[in-house]
Amino acid sequence: MSDATSPPPSTDRILAGVALMLGFCLTAPLLDVAAKLASDSVPVGQITAARFVVQCALMAPFLLGMGLSLRVARGRWLALFLRAVFLLVATFCFIAAISVMPLADALAIVFIAPFIVLLVGKFYLGEDVGPRRVGAALVGFAGVLFVIQPSFAAFGAVALFPLGTAVCFASYILVTRGLSRQMHPVTLQFYTGLVASLLCIPVLILADGSGSAVLDPVWPAGRAWLWLFGVGFFAALSHMMMTYALSMAPSATLAPLQYLELPVATLLGYLVFRDFPNALTLTGIAIIIGSGLYMIHRERVTARQLMTERAAPPI
């Protein structure tokens, strides 16, 4: 009788997954750098649209070359639509924020998304979440206040935009949980880009000539074309690396590595824009990272306890 359980990932696959996750942490902030550079001359709405149009265009050849089907089951379209909407709004809010805020400040606030997912899982979806993880999430929210307070004083209400990104990205993660088990990552990325593009382009057409600072499209000049392409290129590249990393190594191994994105964004923000977080913001970032790592630790402990209980022989 064959064993129905799948074998654990090999060491080589785990190392490859770790390498891909590190690649994500290095390339995802480049998306933010390109978006911030583009925002000097291109409206936020147009940068957001470019992110999804380029992603869709880049994914199409891979989709066809890999022989993946374009068919989508009727029952999955609503989830696909919601996934695209959540990511679209999250992207718009974040680009609007970093157009005036330092990269590290905005990204630190976005990192409360895992805490939101955890709390929604406990109080809305009825998932088994212990008090220690809930406490870590609440401490993480307190850390966000340290980041928002000086940012709000310096930049006004735009400092709250990353909160919108965090809420929408948490919703995006929750929707993706189900779809990722039903669709190939390339197909999922392609359709997310396609649906978001179809939502963005009509809005830009209607806003043409309106004078809106965030939506009225312009004809990019010079390097702005490069920055717009970079937004979509690094978005597609980083998210594909993260998706494949999760298929090669356990999420418990990879989750702590994602926090490397914050120091990378801080370094790039300083090198490119001469932005560096102040002491209060750095304190908040430290609290957020510490709370997130503790929450991951508690998830590992809980998972080990469950495995031990299931492996114990019946009495």
Side-chain angles (χ1 to χ4, degrees):
M1 183 173 171
S2 63
D3 187 359
T5 59
S6 58
S10 68
T11 302
D12 289 343
R13 281 181 61 83
I14 291 176
L15 290 176
V18 169
L20 285 169
M21 195 65 183
L22 291 175
F24 167 82
C25 294
L26 292 173
T27 53
L30 292 174
L31 180 169
D32 306 331
V33 170
K36 189 172 178 68
L37 289 169
S39 68
D40 287 340
S41 58
V42 180
V44 172
Q46 190 172 350
I47 300 171
T48 304
R51 180 248 191 270
F52 292 105
V53 170
V54 173
Q55 174 181 318
C56 183
L58 289 175
M59 288 296 103
F62 287 97
L63 186 72
L64 298 174
M66 295 170 69
L68 299 173
S69 175
L70 287 169
R71 292 184 180 179
V72 177
R74 185 177 299 177
R76 296 175 192 166
W77 275 110
L78 177 59
L80 266 178
F81 176 79
L82 290 175
R83 184 179 193 267
V85 169
F86 287 137
L87 188 57
L88 172 60
V89 177
T91 302
F92 180 88
C93 289
F94 190 71
I95 294 175
I98 63 173
S99 65
V100 295
M101 289 176 63
L103 296 180
D105 296 41
L107 189 60
I109 298 172
V110 174
F111 263 84
I112 67 166
F115 305 142
I116 296 173
V117 172
L118 181 139
L119 295 176
V120 169
K122 177 175 178 60
F123 295 109
Y124 183 70
L125 301 177
E127 296 178 352
D128 185 17
V129 178
R132 293 181 183 180
R133 279 185 285 170
V134 172
L138 295 177
V139 171
F141 279 106
V144 168
L145 296 179
F146 280 83
V147 181
I148 288 180
Q149 194 277 327
S151 297
F152 190 85
F155 308 112
V158 73
L160 300 178
F161 274 46
L163 284 177
T165 297
V167 172
C168 289
F169 195 71
S171 303
Y172 164 84
I173 292 171
L174 290 169
V175 173
T176 302
R177 277 183 179 179
L179 279 175
S180 62
R181 303 186 189 100
Q182 303 168 349
M183 298 181 66
H184 191 279
V186 173
T187 307
L188 197 55
Q189 290 284 70
F190 170 76
Y191 274 111
T192 298
L194 178 62
V195 173
S197 298
L198 293 176
L199 291 172
C200 286
I201 292 173
V203 173
L204 293 179
I205 292 173
L206 291 173
D208 188 22
S210 66
S212 171
V214 295
L215 293 177
D216 191 356
V218 299
W219 188 256
R223 292 183 180 178
W225 285 105
L226 180 62
W227 308 143
L228 289 176
F229 177 79
V231 171
F233 174 78
F234 288 119
L237 179 62
S238 62
H239 281 266
M240 285 306 298
M241 283 196 288
M242 181 174 65
T243 300
Y244 277 104
L246 289 169
S247 71
M248 294 180 177
S251 58
T253 301
L254 300 178
L257 298 176
Q258 190 173 354
Y259 284 92
L260 291 174
E261 189 181 350
L262 270 171
V264 172
T266 303
L267 178 62
L268 288 174
Y270 176 74
L271 293 176
V272 180
F273 305 106
R274 289 296 183 263
D275 290 332
F276 196 78
N278 60 28
L280 195 58
T281 299
L282 286 173
T283 301
I285 290 174
I287 292 173
I288 293 168
I289 292 176
S291 300
L293 293 177
Y294 178 77
M295 191 172 74
I296 292 167
H297 165 70
R298 289 306 308 171
E299 288 177 353
R300 285 178 170 178
V301 170
T302 302
R304 282 199 297 266
Q305 289 174 346
L306 287 173
M307 289 177 66
T308 302
E309 291 173 0
R310 290 172 181 171
I315 298 175

